Amino acid sequence: MAKWLLAVGMFLPFFSAQATQDPEALYNRTCAACHAGQLPQAPKSGDRAAWEPRLAQGMAQLVVHVTQGFKAMPPRGLCMDCSAEDYRLVILWMSGSPDT
């Protein structure tokens, strides 16, 4: 029984659902430091024209950029507790996408 519990305990983190964070709260906590206008190359929140060509790359590519870092953006956008779903939701929120 103990071996079974140990095995389940080792694999549970890989299969457990992680709650997503509120996109606006996440933006205010980590993203606003660059995306509120301080860095000219970082698209501002709500600037649909700046986000349009980025969204055209596809959400999967944008999440990779956030996760690995891209140009001036640091890896994980300095959000070490964010999941890929958190990144997807905050990108949609910042871009003003109707999919949010």
Side-chain angles (χ1 to χ4, degrees), residues 1 7 9 12 25 28 32 37 40-43 45 55 60 63 70 75 77 79 81 84 89:
M1 179 72 163
L12 191 60
N28 289 329
Q41 66 270 34
S45 177
L55 291 171
V63 171
F70 185 73
C79 182
D81 65 339
L89 291 173

Side-chain angles (χ1 to χ4, degrees), residues 23-38:
E24 186 174 4
L26 176 59
Y27 169 82
N28 289 329
R29 191 182 82 213
T30 61
C31 308
C34 299
H35 288 275
Q38 295 83 331

Side-chain angles (χ1 to χ4, degrees), residues 43-56:
K44 291 181 189 175
S45 177
D47 185 349
R48 286 187 178 205
W51 280 100
E52 191 173 306
R54 291 165 172 88
L55 291 171

